[in-house]
Amino acid sequence: MLSTDYLIIGSGALGMCFADQLLTETDANMVIVDRHHMPGGHWNDAYPFVRLHQPSAYYGVGSRALGNNRLDVAGFNKGYFELASGAQIISYYDRLMNERFLPSGRVQYFPLCDYQGDKRFVSRLSGDVQEVSFRKKLVDATFLDTQVPSTHVPSFELGDGVKLVTPSELPKFAPDFKGYVILGGGKTAMDVGVWLLQMGAAPESIRWIVPRDSWLMNRDKVQPGEAFFKQTAGGQADQLEAAAEATCVADLFERLERTGQMLRIDTTVIPTMYRGATISCLEVEALRSIKNVVRKGRVLRIEHRTVILEHGTVEGCSGSLYVDCTAKAFRTQPSVRVFDGDRITIQMLRPGALCLSAAVIGHIEAAYDDEAIKNELCKPMQTLNAPEDWVRRRLEDLQAGRRWSVDKTLHRWVVEHRLTGAGVGQADVAAHDPDADRIRKRLREARPKAEANLSRLIAELAPESLRS
């Protein structure tokens, strides 16, 4: 029987980040079990042209930067900090395992294994069962259950003669077709649309079936480093002021759009979805060139001559390639306590900051003893699905920030942590001039007003909208 301090289930971004923090702050031993053949979690299954949609500076683990913190000089991300590709992320985690984790002598790694519960895991190749005891905690880094198209089972029916592929297969099959039908309205569908356009597909050759339109974060407003302080911190001030003054959720998003915080592909359609996806204005401009957009709900069945949708039918695209982008990123489920006896369940603590959340949980586990205090500092958030969820998560984020700021040691640790974007880029005097000071003043003044008004907006939401 194996024996360890921490048994970590999952070597994806969250499991690796938590383990990295324990390696940095403790002398604990760890056993890491994962069903994939190498670390990186769902990135092993991702489509080949996938990239992060926020800067690489916010991703990975605390001890090692992902990428070189360079600014892109071409493409749809021009002028912004680099976005790591899926291949770069897989390589990053593989090197991290083989250059830091395993050489430490404190980590044992068991890939291609399924955890069965009851301190047992089984090899997916040999079928051999291994028992493992842990002296401290079992760490579940799989709770969010990330879904990607290549592992997703479509919920619609497919008739004979219809060619359906996942984005992973698209580069192989795309050259054999002259027309394309994108299924889904989320970030994966947007990635597919942008990729097809980049590869030379004419906008007229693309049909896009969009069940729900989505609000999108403007990547211009989430750049790390002092050189971007005014647009990023200024954007945060705009957000808080909008949250403080909005009369309802619709009014809030109108204000966020006016100040450039939120974007939408079609400005004549009011989005009903928000999942925290981040996009550049150049990508939005490219996607707007696709004019054949169908908004009749989800796909129910695709036949050779007809596509049956929730709210009607459209003529089928004979000879076109259908691309399934309907997988949801995260499973929707109630949150659980992060610290619960001998179990830790890694979840999101700040909106969109998954890796930072895992690092904070690792730090709290290493630095604090009282479970009640740990859970007070690590209140989990559910994933995003609708504009109303932005309101809830933003309020929870303000409350979390307030709790963390009371603990001066924790506040300093978070501010200085790599995954907050600390230390990215060159120092910039403009981040400390009078205009920057005015932005800081706006942030201080708007924060309590925003918290109060967001609470009011949530209280006024209709009961049917309270289900995230």
Side-chain angles (χ1 to χ4, degrees):
M1 175 184 285
L2 293 169
S3 181
T4 189
D5 293 316
Y6 292 88
L7 172 58
I8 301 174
I9 312 304
S11 63
L14 303 187
M16 294 289 281
C17 197
F18 178 89
D20 180 78
Q21 209 60 53
L22 289 191
L23 277 177
T24 298
E25 298 191 43
T26 75
D27 58 1
N29 294 307
M30 290 162 266
V31 166
I32 302 177
V33 176
D34 194 282
R35 68 187 324 272
H36 290 93
H37 75 287
M38 61 190 298
H42 75 277
W43 292 102
N44 285 284
D45 306 313
Y47 42 99
F49 50 91
V50 69
R51 287 186 176 272
L52 290 173
H53 54 107
Q54 288 196 3
S56 300
Y58 300 129
Y59 207 81
V61 304
S63 68
R64 178 178 296 196
L66 171 59
N68 301 308
N69 289 328
R70 62 172 176 78
L71 294 175
D72 283 340
V73 296
F76 289 120
N77 194 54
K78 182 179 179 180
Y80 301 138
F81 280 106
E82 64 185 306
L83 309 173
S85 68
Q88 289 171 326
I89 294 169
I90 286 295
S91 174
Y92 169 87
Y93 284 120
D94 184 51
R95 292 186 61 185
L96 189 68
M97 179 65 75
N98 288 288
E99 295 175 5
R100 171 164 162 78
F101 282 29
L102 297 180
S104 72
R106 293 161 48 199
V107 174
Q108 296 181 75
Y109 174 50
F110 294 89
L112 277 181
C113 289
D114 281 325
Y115 183 66
Q116 297 183 309
D118 198 27
K119 303 179 182 179
R120 295 156 58 94
F121 61 89
V122 59
S123 168
R124 299 179 66 200
L125 290 186
S126 69
D128 291 343
V129 176
Q130 182 81 261
E131 295 188 5
V132 54
S133 65
F134 53 88
R135 291 177 287 274
K136 294 187 177 180
K137 305 285 178 68
L138 182 144
V139 182
D140 182 3
T142 67
F143 181 80
L144 294 180
D145 189 28
T146 305
Q147 299 179 21
V148 296
S150 64
T151 59
H152 164 72
V153 178
S155 60
F156 50 86
E157 299 176 349
L158 201 64
D160 294 336
V162 177
K163 182 62 176 179
L164 177 75
V165 299
T166 66
S168 296
E169 302 167 300
L170 181 59
K172 176 182 177 181
F173 289 100
D176 298 330
F177 292 82
K178 300 300 182 184
Y180 312 91
V181 182
I182 304 172
L183 310 177
K187 187 60 170 63
T188 299
M190 296 175 203
D191 286 350
V192 166
V194 169
W195 183 85
L196 285 170
L197 294 169
Q198 283 181 309
M199 293 298 107
E204 299 77 25
S205 70
I206 303 171
R207 172 185 282 183
W208 191 0
I209 297 179
V210 179
R212 294 191 298 162
D213 281 67
S214 180
W215 285 109
L216 303 160
M217 291 177 60
N218 186 348
R219 192 176 298 138
D220 183 75
K221 307 299 182 181
V222 296
Q223 297 298 306
E226 287 195 352
F228 291 91
F229 174 84
K230 289 181 181 177
Q231 66 199 64
T232 299
Q236 287 294 312
D238 289 336
Q239 273 193 31
L240 292 177
E241 288 167 353
E245 297 165 6
T247 58
C248 61
V249 175
D251 179 51
L252 170 61
F253 273 79
E254 288 178 9
R255 292 170 184 268
L256 293 173
E257 184 178 35
R258 283 201 302 270
T259 57
Q261 302 303 302
M262 290 288 172
L263 303 170
R264 49 179 162 163
I265 306 299
D266 190 331
T267 57
T268 67
V269 177
I270 298 176
T272 59
M273 180 167 65
Y274 177 72
R275 291 181 178 164
T278 305
I279 198 167
S280 72
C281 292
L282 290 176
E283 288 171 302
V284 169
E285 184 179 340
L287 290 169
R288 285 174 178 163
S289 71
I290 302 173
K291 304 300 183 183
N292 187 359
V293 180
V294 177
R295 293 182 173 89
K296 292 177 182 264
R298 292 183 175 86
V299 176
L300 301 180
R301 180 176 173 82
I302 303 174
E303 298 176 351
H304 185 62
R305 298 182 182 276
T306 307
V307 179
I308 303 171
L309 303 161
E310 283 181 298
H311 308 302
T313 62
V314 294
E315 183 179 349
C317 294
S318 179
S320 289
L321 181 64
Y322 288 79
V323 188
D324 181 17
C325 306
T326 61
K328 291 184 178 180
F330 301 111
R331 179 176 58 184
T332 301
Q333 59 186 329
S335 301
V336 300
R337 292 204 308 170
V338 172
F339 297 93
D340 191 2
D342 64 357
R343 189 181 188 93
I344 296 173
T345 305
I346 300 178
Q347 294 158 86
M348 183 171 68
L349 305 183
R350 306 296 289 266
L354 290 170
C355 290
L356 177 63
S357 297
V360 169
I361 292 169
H363 171 69
I364 297 294
E365 168 65 10
Y368 295 73
D369 295 321
D370 186 280
E371 186 171 290
I373 294 176
K374 289 180 178 183
N375 280 316
E376 179 64 19
L377 293 172
C378 296
K379 291 190 174 181
M381 300 178 181
Q382 290 186 279
T383 53
L384 299 150
N385 187 53
E388 293 80 8
D389 295 331
W390 187 95
V391 179
R392 300 185 186 95
R393 300 299 89 83
R394 195 68 181 96
L395 176 60
E396 292 168 354
D397 187 49
L398 290 171
Q399 293 168 339
R402 184 157 42 80
R403 288 193 301 271
W404 290 6
S405 66
V406 170
D407 186 327
K408 301 302 181 185
T409 301
L410 175 61
H411 177 72
R412 183 167 54 253
W413 182 91
V414 172
V415 168
E416 296 174 353
H417 197 276
R418 187 191 78 76
L419 292 172
T420 64
V424 172
Q426 301 294 319
D428 194 319
V429 295
H432 306 279
D433 67 14
D435 287 340
D437 290 338
R438 279 189 283 273
I439 290 173
R440 293 184 179 92
K441 184 174 185 288
R442 289 172 59 202
L443 286 167
R444 289 192 300 271
E445 292 177 347
R447 188 172 287 113
K449 298 175 184 177
E451 192 169 335
N453 196 45
L454 289 171
S455 297
R456 182 188 64 80
L457 293 177
I458 292 171
E460 294 178 355
L461 288 173
E464 61 268 20
S465 72
L466 293 176
R467 294 186 293 272
S468 296

PDB file of all heavy atoms in Angstrom, residues 186-207:
ATOM      1  N   GLY A 186     -21.033  29.584 -27.833  1.00  0.00           N
ATOM      2  CA  GLY A 186     -20.016  29.893 -26.838  1.00  0.00           C
ATOM      3  C   GLY A 186     -18.649  30.199 -27.437  1.00  0.00           C
ATOM      4  O   GLY A 186     -18.491  30.354 -28.649  1.00  0.00           O
ATOM      5  N   LYS A 187     -17.641  30.256 -26.556  1.00  0.00           N
ATOM      6  CA  LYS A 187     -16.304  30.641 -26.988  1.00  0.00           C
ATOM      7  C   LYS A 187     -15.700  29.636 -27.967  1.00  0.00           C
ATOM      8  O   LYS A 187     -14.973  30.035 -28.885  1.00  0.00           O
ATOM      9  CB  LYS A 187     -15.386  30.767 -25.757  1.00  0.00           C
ATOM     10  CG  LYS A 187     -13.995  31.330 -26.070  1.00  0.00           C
ATOM     11  CD  LYS A 187     -14.076  32.717 -26.681  1.00  0.00           C
ATOM     12  CE  LYS A 187     -12.719  33.409 -26.771  1.00  0.00           C
ATOM     13  NZ  LYS A 187     -11.759  32.730 -27.626  1.00  0.00           N
ATOM     14  N   THR A 188     -15.994  28.339 -27.810  1.00  0.00           N
ATOM     15  CA  THR A 188     -15.466  27.363 -28.760  1.00  0.00           C
ATOM     16  C   THR A 188     -15.994  27.643 -30.157  1.00  0.00           C
ATOM     17  O   THR A 188     -15.246  27.591 -31.144  1.00  0.00           O
ATOM     18  CB  THR A 188     -15.825  25.936 -28.329  1.00  0.00           C
ATOM     19  OG1 THR A 188     -15.246  25.669 -27.047  1.00  0.00           O
ATOM     20  CG2 THR A 188     -15.299  24.918 -29.328  1.00  0.00           C
ATOM     21  N   ALA A 189     -17.280  27.926 -30.262  1.00  0.00           N
ATOM     22  CA  ALA A 189     -17.859  28.257 -31.569  1.00  0.00           C
ATOM     23  C   ALA A 189     -17.202  29.499 -32.158  1.00  0.00           C
ATOM     24  O   ALA A 189     -16.933  29.570 -33.368  1.00  0.00           O
ATOM     25  CB  ALA A 189     -19.365  28.467 -31.425  1.00  0.00           C
ATOM     26  N   MET A 190     -16.919  30.483 -31.311  1.00  0.00           N
ATOM     27  CA  MET A 190     -16.246  31.694 -31.783  1.00  0.00           C
ATOM     28  C   MET A 190     -14.836  31.365 -32.254  1.00  0.00           C
ATOM     29  O   MET A 190     -14.371  31.883 -33.282  1.00  0.00           O
ATOM     30  CB  MET A 190     -16.210  32.740 -30.681  1.00  0.00           C
ATOM     31  CG  MET A 190     -17.590  33.218 -30.277  1.00  0.00           C
ATOM     32  SD  MET A 190     -17.545  34.350 -28.863  1.00  0.00           S
ATOM     33  CE  MET A 190     -19.219  34.159 -28.245  1.00  0.00           C
ATOM     34  N   ASP A 191     -14.127  30.506 -31.517  1.00  0.00           N
ATOM     35  CA  ASP A 191     -12.788  30.094 -31.939  1.00  0.00           C
ATOM     36  C   ASP A 191     -12.835  29.431 -33.308  1.00  0.00           C
ATOM     37  O   ASP A 191     -11.958  29.657 -34.155  1.00  0.00           O
ATOM     38  CB  ASP A 191     -12.195  29.114 -30.921  1.00  0.00           C
ATOM     39  CG  ASP A 191     -11.743  29.788 -29.637  1.00  0.00           C
ATOM     40  OD1 ASP A 191     -11.711  31.028 -29.595  1.00  0.00           O
ATOM     41  OD2 ASP A 191     -11.413  29.062 -28.680  1.00  0.00           O
ATOM     42  N   VAL A 192     -13.838  28.576 -33.522  1.00  0.00           N
ATOM     43  CA  VAL A 192     -13.972  27.895 -34.812  1.00  0.00           C
ATOM     44  C   VAL A 192     -14.244  28.903 -35.921  1.00  0.00           C
ATOM     45  O   VAL A 192     -13.644  28.836 -37.006  1.00  0.00           O
ATOM     46  CB  VAL A 192     -15.086  26.830 -34.750  1.00  0.00           C
ATOM     47  CG1 VAL A 192     -15.472  26.353 -36.144  1.00  0.00           C
ATOM     48  CG2 VAL A 192     -14.636  25.649 -33.901  1.00  0.00           C
ATOM     49  N   GLY A 193     -15.128  29.856 -35.678  1.00  0.00           N
ATOM     50  CA  GLY A 193     -15.416  30.869 -36.682  1.00  0.00           C
ATOM     51  C   GLY A 193     -14.185  31.681 -37.044  1.00  0.00           C
ATOM     52  O   GLY A 193     -13.888  31.896 -38.230  1.00  0.00           O
ATOM     53  N   VAL A 194     -13.449  32.132 -36.028  1.00  0.00           N
ATOM     54  CA  VAL A 194     -12.233  32.905 -36.277  1.00  0.00           C
ATOM     55  C   VAL A 194     -11.207  32.068 -37.027  1.00  0.00           C
ATOM     56  O   VAL A 194     -10.564  32.537 -37.972  1.00  0.00           O
ATOM     57  CB  VAL A 194     -11.645  33.430 -34.946  1.00  0.00           C
ATOM     58  CG1 VAL A 194     -10.246  34.000 -35.155  1.00  0.00           C
ATOM     59  CG2 VAL A 194     -12.561  34.489 -34.334  1.00  0.00           C
ATOM     60  N   TRP A 195     -11.060  30.790 -36.639  1.00  0.00           N
ATOM     61  CA  TRP A 195     -10.080  29.913 -37.295  1.00  0.00           C
ATOM     62  C   TRP A 195     -10.429  29.717 -38.765  1.00  0.00           C
ATOM     63  O   TRP A 195      -9.552  29.807 -39.642  1.00  0.00           O
ATOM     64  CB  TRP A 195     -10.016  28.564 -36.587  1.00  0.00           C
ATOM     65  CG  TRP A 195      -8.974  27.644 -37.158  1.00  0.00           C
ATOM     66  CD1 TRP A 195      -7.643  27.603 -36.853  1.00  0.00           C
ATOM     67  CD2 TRP A 195      -9.187  26.636 -38.167  1.00  0.00           C
ATOM     68  NE1 TRP A 195      -7.009  26.638 -37.596  1.00  0.00           N
ATOM     69  CE2 TRP A 195      -7.930  26.028 -38.411  1.00  0.00           C
ATOM     70  CE3 TRP A 195     -10.297  26.188 -38.867  1.00  0.00           C
ATOM     71  CZ2 TRP A 195      -7.763  24.995 -39.333  1.00  0.00           C
ATOM     72  CZ3 TRP A 195     -10.140  25.164 -39.785  1.00  0.00           C
ATOM     73  CH2 TRP A 195      -8.897  24.574 -40.016  1.00  0.00           C
ATOM     74  N   LEU A 196     -11.699  29.448 -39.062  1.00  0.00           N
ATOM     75  CA  LEU A 196     -12.099  29.269 -40.458  1.00  0.00           C
ATOM     76  C   LEU A 196     -11.801  30.519 -41.280  1.00  0.00           C
ATOM     77  O   LEU A 196     -11.291  30.438 -42.413  1.00  0.00           O
ATOM     78  CB  LEU A 196     -13.586  28.932 -40.535  1.00  0.00           C
ATOM     79  CG  LEU A 196     -13.992  27.511 -40.125  1.00  0.00           C
ATOM     80  CD1 LEU A 196     -15.504  27.399 -40.008  1.00  0.00           C
ATOM     81  CD2 LEU A 196     -13.458  26.472 -41.125  1.00  0.00           C
ATOM     82  N   LEU A 197     -12.092  31.680 -40.720  1.00  0.00           N
ATOM     83  CA  LEU A 197     -11.815  32.933 -41.431  1.00  0.00           C
ATOM     84  C   LEU A 197     -10.316  33.130 -41.621  1.00  0.00           C
ATOM     85  O   LEU A 197      -9.864  33.558 -42.691  1.00  0.00           O
ATOM     86  CB  LEU A 197     -12.427  34.105 -40.668  1.00  0.00           C
ATOM     87  CG  LEU A 197     -13.960  34.125 -40.597  1.00  0.00           C
ATOM     88  CD1 LEU A 197     -14.429  35.175 -39.596  1.00  0.00           C
ATOM     89  CD2 LEU A 197     -14.572  34.381 -41.967  1.00  0.00           C
ATOM     90  N   GLN A 198      -9.533  32.817 -40.597  1.00  0.00           N
ATOM     91  CA  GLN A 198      -8.079  32.933 -40.707  1.00  0.00           C
ATOM     92  C   GLN A 198      -7.515  32.009 -41.779  1.00  0.00           C
ATOM     93  O   GLN A 198      -6.543  32.339 -42.455  1.00  0.00           O
ATOM     94  CB  GLN A 198      -7.424  32.604 -39.366  1.00  0.00           C
ATOM     95  CG  GLN A 198      -7.497  33.697 -38.329  1.00  0.00           C
ATOM     96  CD  GLN A 198      -6.800  33.283 -37.044  1.00  0.00           C
ATOM     97  OE1 GLN A 198      -7.060  32.204 -36.499  1.00  0.00           O
ATOM     98  NE2 GLN A 198      -5.914  34.121 -36.555  1.00  0.00           N
ATOM     99  N   MET A 199      -8.128  30.826 -41.904  1.00  0.00           N
ATOM    100  CA  MET A 199      -7.646  29.847 -42.872  1.00  0.00           C
ATOM    101  C   MET A 199      -8.099  30.159 -44.301  1.00  0.00           C
ATOM    102  O   MET A 199      -7.738  29.453 -45.244  1.00  0.00           O
ATOM    103  CB  MET A 199      -8.124  28.443 -42.484  1.00  0.00           C
ATOM    104  CG  MET A 199      -7.519  27.916 -41.197  1.00  0.00           C
ATOM    105  SD  MET A 199      -5.710  27.737 -41.258  1.00  0.00           S
ATOM    106  CE  MET A 199      -5.202  29.122 -40.203  1.00  0.00           C
ATOM    107  N   GLY A 200      -8.900  31.185 -44.474  1.00  0.00           N
ATOM    108  CA  GLY A 200      -9.287  31.611 -45.813  1.00  0.00           C
ATOM    109  C   GLY A 200     -10.706  31.308 -46.211  1.00  0.00           C
ATOM    110  O   GLY A 200     -11.101  31.573 -47.362  1.00  0.00           O
ATOM    111  N   ALA A 201     -11.514  30.761 -45.301  1.00  0.00           N
ATOM    112  CA  ALA A 201     -12.914  30.513 -45.634  1.00  0.00           C
ATOM    113  C   ALA A 201     -13.634  31.842 -45.822  1.00  0.00           C
ATOM    114  O   ALA A 201     -13.448  32.779 -45.048  1.00  0.00           O
ATOM    115  CB  ALA A 201     -13.588  29.694 -44.534  1.00  0.00           C
ATOM    116  N   ALA A 202     -14.465  31.925 -46.840  1.00  0.00           N
ATOM    117  CA  ALA A 202     -15.256  33.134 -47.062  1.00  0.00           C
ATOM    118  C   ALA A 202     -16.364  33.203 -46.019  1.00  0.00           C
ATOM    119  O   ALA A 202     -16.963  32.177 -45.680  1.00  0.00           O
ATOM    120  CB  ALA A 202     -15.853  33.120 -48.458  1.00  0.00           C
ATOM    121  N   PRO A 203     -16.666  34.378 -45.504  1.00  0.00           N
ATOM    122  CA  PRO A 203     -17.761  34.483 -44.531  1.00  0.00           C
ATOM    123  C   PRO A 203     -19.066  33.897 -45.065  1.00  0.00           C
ATOM    124  O   PRO A 203     -19.853  33.328 -44.300  1.00  0.00           O
ATOM    125  CB  PRO A 203     -17.878  35.991 -44.300  1.00  0.00           C
ATOM    126  CG  PRO A 203     -16.521  36.531 -44.622  1.00  0.00           C
ATOM    127  CD  PRO A 203     -16.005  35.672 -45.738  1.00  0.00           C
ATOM    128  N   GLU A 204     -19.295  34.017 -46.393  1.00  0.00           N
ATOM    129  CA  GLU A 204     -20.529  33.514 -46.993  1.00  0.00           C
ATOM    130  C   GLU A 204     -20.608  31.988 -46.960  1.00  0.00           C
ATOM    131  O   GLU A 204     -21.692  31.411 -47.133  1.00  0.00           O
ATOM    132  CB  GLU A 204     -20.639  33.985 -48.448  1.00  0.00           C
ATOM    133  CG  GLU A 204     -20.681  35.486 -48.618  1.00  0.00           C
ATOM    134  CD  GLU A 204     -19.310  36.148 -48.479  1.00  0.00           C
ATOM    135  OE1 GLU A 204     -18.289  35.453 -48.724  1.00  0.00           O
ATOM    136  OE2 GLU A 204     -19.252  37.334 -48.090  1.00  0.00           O
ATOM    137  N   SER A 205     -19.468  31.311 -46.729  1.00  0.00           N
ATOM    138  CA  SER A 205     -19.463  29.846 -46.709  1.00  0.00           C
ATOM    139  C   SER A 205     -19.795  29.291 -45.328  1.00  0.00           C
ATOM    140  O   SER A 205     -19.857  28.079 -45.151  1.00  0.00           O
ATOM    141  CB  SER A 205     -18.091  29.323 -47.151  1.00  0.00           C
ATOM    142  OG  SER A 205     -17.095  29.600 -46.161  1.00  0.00           O
ATOM    143  N   ILE A 206     -20.023  30.182 -44.366  1.00  0.00           N
ATOM    144  CA  ILE A 206     -20.230  29.755 -42.977  1.00  0.00           C
ATOM    145  C   ILE A 206     -21.652  30.077 -42.531  1.00  0.00           C
ATOM    146  O   ILE A 206     -22.128  31.207 -42.692  1.00  0.00           O
ATOM    147  CB  ILE A 206     -19.232  30.459 -42.034  1.00  0.00           C
ATOM    148  CG1 ILE A 206     -17.783  30.183 -42.469  1.00  0.00           C
ATOM    149  CG2 ILE A 206     -19.456  30.019 -40.590  1.00  0.00           C
ATOM    150  CD1 ILE A 206     -16.750  31.018 -41.733  1.00  0.00           C
ATOM    151  N   ARG A 207     -22.327  29.065 -42.007  1.00  0.00           N
ATOM    152  CA  ARG A 207     -23.587  29.283 -41.296  1.00  0.00           C
ATOM    153  C   ARG A 207     -23.319  29.057 -39.812  1.00  0.00           C
ATOM    154  O   ARG A 207     -22.623  28.115 -39.449  1.00  0.00           O
ATOM    155  CB  ARG A 207     -24.689  28.332 -41.779  1.00  0.00           C
ATOM    156  CG  ARG A 207     -25.955  28.412 -40.926  1.00  0.00           C
ATOM    157  CD  ARG A 207     -26.996  27.381 -41.335  1.00  0.00           C
ATOM    158  NE  ARG A 207     -27.710  27.798 -42.537  1.00  0.00           N
ATOM    159  CZ  ARG A 207     -28.708  27.108 -43.086  1.00  0.00           C
ATOM    160  NH1 ARG A 207     -29.088  25.961 -42.544  1.00  0.00           N
ATOM    161  NH2 ARG A 207     -29.305  27.542 -44.168  1.00  0.00           N
TER     162      ARG A 207
END
